[in-house]
Amino acid sequence: MTDKFMKIAMAGLIGTALASAPHVSAYPDMDAVYNSFPTYSNKGNDLELTVDKTGTHFALWSPQATQARVYIYNNGRTGTPTDTLDMKKDSASGVWRASSPEQLYGKFYTFSINHDGKWLAETPGVWAKAVGANGTRAAIINMAATNPEGWENDKGPELTNNTDAILYEMHHRDFSIHPSSGIANKGKFLALTEPGTANPQGQSTGIDHLKDLGVTHVHILPSFDYNSVDETNLPANTYNWGYDPVNYNAPEGSYSTNPSDPETRIREMKEMVQALHNAGIGVVMDVVYNHTAQNDESNFSLTAPGYYYRHRADGTYSDASGCGNETASERQQMRDFIVNSVKYWAKEYHIDGFRFDLMAIHDIATMNQVADELRKINPNIIIYGEGWTAGDSPLPVEQRALKDHAYRMPGVAVFSDDIRDAVKGHYSNAADRGFASGKTGNEETVKIGIVGATNHPQVDYSKGNNSKKAYTLSPNQVVNYVSCHDDMCLTDKLAASLPDADEQQRKRVARLAQTIVFTSQGIPFMFAGEEVFRNKHGIHNTYNSPDSVNAIDWNLLDANADQNEYYRQLIRLRKQHPAFRMSDASEVARNLVFDNVKTPNVISYSLKNHANGDPAAEIKVIFNGNPEAVTTRIPRGKWTILANDGVIDADGKTLGTSQGGKVTVPPTCALILMR
Ligand code: CA
């Protein structure tokens, strides 16, 4: 992904430079200017609002402002200010302060600064923790009053290693909006708090379905306050993924039952977290600190113009996000913002993990600080991200939090595009097939996935399609997957790349593909609804497609009950066998042994020595990506069959045994045995 976009971006830059070279004005090197600004950490938690016995206190970091004001309102959206407070600057910190002797609970506020002789538009600031509808004004509320009953005892699941997690990526609307969900609070945070919901056939949906499936964490698409959905017109039923951040420290209003009441969204999101925790399921938040929805009008720009972003040599916004701008994590106040923002979500909302969008836009030092600080709050916390950018960046490559630099970020995991593309075919070329769909030549790249991108003596990284070196220090640092919200979902990808196959055959390919993911070393990740073979009507990018495209039809739980049962057993298999969940690269190198198989599109390996405390002395895993049966040899002995011919029995009670020797592996499936 990086390469492809980078070439386009570079070509564009070169073209611009040549065309405009004689006219380039002398844009000053602003890095030196910005780095000379005084900074102020929010560790004391007094940015931008504090309410205590002495009143209500405002504090805005705005080093360039010549004047600053606070406007107080009775309403979250309309009406004129009831009061205006002039702020005073502390030059040492760049922070402007003003206070009211009253506790202004129930009121709203905005800031405005005078910059270069001009009053800029009002902004709720960058640290608003409660906001009115559409997040244009911040709200003064008593946060303690938003805690659901029993919140003080709420706790997420404990993880020994990242590799014990099973991630389920979902969008709030996808998961609950379809009438077949049987859920009352469709498309809301509260959807995940409803037990006992069912589809028309009586099969469990919602949180009960997640428990039944066995996933350990839900990974929720952006749930901070984003821009694209009008919270004052929810009947319009607008859909958006939410990768257009506005207020990073307040929940999105459209997922609440009342966006106009600032407390409601906060309380309901906490109720969601609590309900999932009570079900033994953790919550990972998708965070998008790499860019903002707007440029000059963003909350960052309206408080410290220019400071929070990177720019090109001509002074325009650089755009490594492909969304119009990119933030500058290497600057102290931006780094502090990211670190303190995730800390806030972990503490206030008990969030169990963070997925960083376009993580390579951030610098390595920031990501390491994120990991160090979060682990002080919760040693079980999972941190992972996309180890690429969507365009070129002024940030030097060696500083970027890239996949290839994972070994320099021991507390952070990266998505494996290696296993993703090798198993199902290239993400952007719909017709391209992969190992599971019968295309040869991907075997070595699949092996990179199987060993969790660690250094393994039997893997030849020079043959890797995407990576040419082992990039992790341990399997805890890689997220294995074949599909996510981006690009075609697995069902659509298989329909596009296997046009002559019928649905039964494609379901079989999907099973093999996910079996490779869920038996590989690393952290397995799945896209919601693939367990029922959901589709998205063949559309690649559904970020603003209507519910009719994005909603999961839970009638499929009945129509594709066999698929759901396969996923359920696959997850059980992984949970019952620690050998699939090693957390140490040297253990993987010692206990995972590939067999020398000559047949194309067949991979065979063993997990030996009761790896990672496994009850089995040896597990044999054979993947046949060919649409015809193959024969291979395994050692003679008494083997129990765990998976064969598109069926898994994690308990090994119904699929029989094998004496070893010459074995036949049916078309497009995994044969898994143990002894
Ligand atoms: Ca919003």
Side-chain angles (χ1 to χ4, degrees):
M1 196 137 122
T2 312
D3 282 353
K4 188 189 130 206
F5 281 100
M6 239 158 76
K7 274 172 199 145
I8 297 167
M10 290 297 284
L13 277 179
I14 291 161
T16 308
L18 287 175
S20 59
H23 314 288
V24 168
S25 61
Y27 182 75
D29 176 7
M30 292 301 288
D31 274 337
V33 176
Y34 293 140
N35 288 334
S36 72
F37 285 1
T39 56
Y40 182 78
S41 174
N42 192 35
K43 284 194 189 100
N45 258 333
D46 67 343
L47 287 179
E48 292 162 353
L49 172 75
T50 321
V51 185
D52 60 22
K53 276 181 268 178
T54 65
T56 303
H57 312 285
F58 301 94
L60 183 72
W61 184 76
S62 183
Q64 302 129 292
T66 51
Q67 286 174 284
R69 286 178 187 152
V70 182
Y71 297 106
I72 308 294
Y73 294 92
N74 284 333
N75 184 297
R77 262 175 25 87
T78 55
T80 50
T82 55
D83 201 2
T84 301
L85 308 176
D86 286 320
M87 304 184 87
K88 282 203 175 62
K89 189 181 186 181
D90 167 30
S91 297
S93 63
V95 173
W96 295 76
R97 293 182 188 273
S99 290
S100 160
E102 293 169 71
Q103 294 187 335
L104 299 174
Y105 287 131
K107 304 281 188 189
F108 295 80
Y109 66 94
T110 61
F111 299 101
S112 179
I113 67 162
N114 194 319
H115 176 72
D116 279 348
K118 199 175 105 191
W119 283 97
L120 301 188
E122 292 173 54
T123 167
V126 302
W127 261 105
K129 294 169 180 165
V131 293
N134 285 341
T136 52
R137 291 177 188 169
I140 304 169
I141 65 163
N142 179 4
M143 286 300 284
T146 65
N147 293 343
E149 202 180 320
W151 187 242
E152 62 281 6
N153 299 317
D154 174 75
K155 209 170 177 307
E158 287 193 9
L159 275 183
T160 308
N161 293 299
N162 279 358
T163 51
D164 297 331
I166 295 167
L167 305 170
Y168 185 87
E169 185 201 42
M170 54 158 273
H171 184 281
H172 297 291
R173 284 181 85 95
D174 290 32
F175 190 70
S176 59
I177 206 84
H178 197 276
S180 63
S181 73
I183 289 169
N185 293 287
K186 291 182 175 63
K188 305 292 181 190
F189 292 129
L190 291 182
L192 284 160
T193 68
E194 295 181 39
T197 61
N199 67 0
Q201 295 79 22
Q203 293 156 307
S204 291
T205 57
I207 193 168
D208 288 356
H209 169 67
L210 296 176
K211 280 161 75 173
D212 181 57
L213 190 59
V215 296
T216 66
H217 289 71
V218 295
H219 153 156
I220 49 174
L221 258 62
S223 297
F224 51 78
D225 180 29
Y226 60 77
N227 191 46
S228 47
V229 173
D230 182 358
E231 298 175 9
T232 66
N233 186 18
L234 293 186
N237 273 333
T238 319
Y239 181 99
N240 205 282
W241 282 345
Y243 291 91
D244 51 346
V246 177
N247 291 298
Y248 282 102
N249 300 300
E252 162 62 14
S254 65
Y255 298 141
S256 79
T257 58
N258 183 4
S260 299
D261 174 18
E263 286 188 20
T264 304
R265 61 178 80 185
I266 298 171
R267 185 182 304 109
E268 290 179 349
M269 187 165 172
K270 288 178 175 176
E271 285 176 18
M272 176 198 78
V273 172
Q274 186 181 43
L276 286 162
H277 284 174
N278 286 343
I281 297 171
V283 180
V284 175
M285 246 179 93
D286 193 337
V287 288
V288 190
Y289 296 105
N290 66 77
H291 74 275
T292 52
Q294 293 164 305
N295 291 353
D296 292 346
E297 295 76 33
S298 77
N299 295 327
F300 283 146
S301 294
L302 294 175
T303 55
Y307 177 88
Y308 289 103
Y309 298 96
R310 296 185 190 130
H311 299 84
R312 300 192 185 99
D314 65 358
T316 58
Y317 287 91
S318 58
D319 187 20
S321 69
C323 297
N325 60 66
E326 65 179 281
T327 56
S329 60
E330 70 279 15
R331 287 187 199 130
Q332 190 58 47
Q333 200 72 18
M334 183 66 209
R335 180 176 292 165
D336 270 4
F337 181 79
I338 294 173
V339 170
N340 289 315
S341 180
V342 288
K343 282 172 71 176
Y344 172 70
W345 285 103
K347 280 184 182 165
E348 182 69 30
Y349 289 84
H350 305 178
I351 296 296
D352 306 282
F354 296 92
R355 175 266 190 199
F356 279 77
D357 187 62
L358 298 178
M359 184 172 71
I361 292 178
H362 305 316
D363 67 297
I364 290 170
T366 297
M367 289 312 302
N368 281 333
Q369 199 178 327
V370 162
D372 290 348
E373 291 292 323
L374 284 176
R375 292 227 160 74
K376 285 182 199 162
I377 299 167
N378 174 3
N380 297 310
I381 217 150
I382 307 184
I383 303 145
Y384 53 97
E386 293 183 306
W388 48 74
T389 65
D392 199 14
S393 170
L395 185 70
V397 171
E398 65 271 18
Q399 291 179 31
R400 295 182 196 171
L402 286 162
K403 185 185 76 165
D404 277 357
H405 294 157
Y407 70 98
R408 292 167 60 193
M409 304 178 280
V412 178
V414 292
F415 282 100
S416 172
D417 57 345
D418 309 272
I419 196 169
R420 181 195 70 196
D421 291 354
V423 167
K424 69 155 192 212
H426 195 263
Y427 73 94
S428 69
N429 176 358
D432 189 42
R433 290 175 295 125
F435 177 93
S437 36
K439 184 181 168 190
T440 59
N442 294 297
E443 296 87 344
E444 211 63 26
T445 310
V446 173
K447 286 184 188 175
I448 292 174
I450 291 171
V451 302
T454 57
N455 190 10
H456 189 283
Q458 291 176 286
V459 175
D460 182 356
Y461 275 85
S462 72
K463 292 181 185 158
N465 295 342
N466 296 359
S467 303
K468 301 293 182 193
K469 63 169 189 181
Y471 51 83
T472 67
L473 299 172
S474 95
N476 283 321
Q477 279 195 276
V478 71
V479 176
N480 291 319
Y481 71 125
V482 283
S483 65
C484 65
H485 69 279
D486 271 324
D487 310 312
M488 277 186 163
C489 67
L490 191 53
T491 306
D492 288 340
K493 170 70 177 170
L494 298 179
S497 57
L498 295 167
D500 298 328
D502 64 20
E503 184 168 286
Q504 272 317 109
Q505 287 168 292
R506 292 200 293 264
K507 279 162 71 176
R508 217 179 146 90
V509 177
R511 289 178 195 189
L512 173 59
Q514 296 286 15
T515 308
I516 296 171
V517 168
F518 277 75
T519 52
S520 287
Q521 305 300 318
I523 310 163
F525 168 107
M526 64 177 287
F527 180 49
E530 287 190 333
E531 71 277 22
V532 296
F533 210 55
R534 65 90 58 99
N535 70 69
K536 293 202 288 180
H537 301 265
I539 302 172
H540 278 262
N541 186 353
T542 65
Y543 80 100
N544 65 353
S545 298
D547 293 331
S548 57
V549 171
N550 279 306
I552 302 169
D553 176 357
W554 292 104
N555 288 300
L556 294 172
L557 255 178
D558 184 48
N560 292 320
D562 54 344
Q563 201 77 350
N564 186 62
E565 179 59 15
Y566 189 91
Y567 277 71
R568 215 173 69 81
Q569 291 291 341
L570 181 57
I571 289 167
R572 290 186 69 229
L573 180 71
R574 183 172 176 92
K575 285 182 165 176
Q576 289 179 18
H577 290 282
F580 298 122
R581 299 183 266 123
M582 286 183 267
S583 61
D584 183 282
S586 62
E587 272 184 52
V588 177
R590 190 168 60 245
N591 299 325
L592 195 159
V593 182
F594 289 102
D595 301 313
N596 189 10
V597 177
K598 296 275 187 288
T599 318
N601 238 27
V602 175
I603 294 172
S604 173
Y605 69 93
S606 279
L607 299 165
K608 294 187 171 178
N609 314 320
H610 295 281
N612 200 22
D614 203 281
E618 180 174 5
I619 297 174
K620 177 66 75 181
V621 182
I622 308 169
F623 301 128
N624 176 17
N626 299 291
E628 57 275 335
V630 296
T631 57
T632 188
R633 299 197 74 83
I634 63 170
R636 295 204 171 273
K638 188 162 185 268
W639 296 91
T640 301
I641 299 173
L642 298 169
N644 190 24
D645 203 16
V647 179
I648 297 181
D649 176 358
D651 302 318
K653 291 197 171 135
T654 58
L655 298 178
T657 56
S658 166
Q659 298 307 307
K662 194 172 163 186
V663 294
T664 298
V665 189
T668 314
C669 82
L671 174 61
I672 304 174
L673 316 94
M674 70 172 178
R675 64 173 178 176

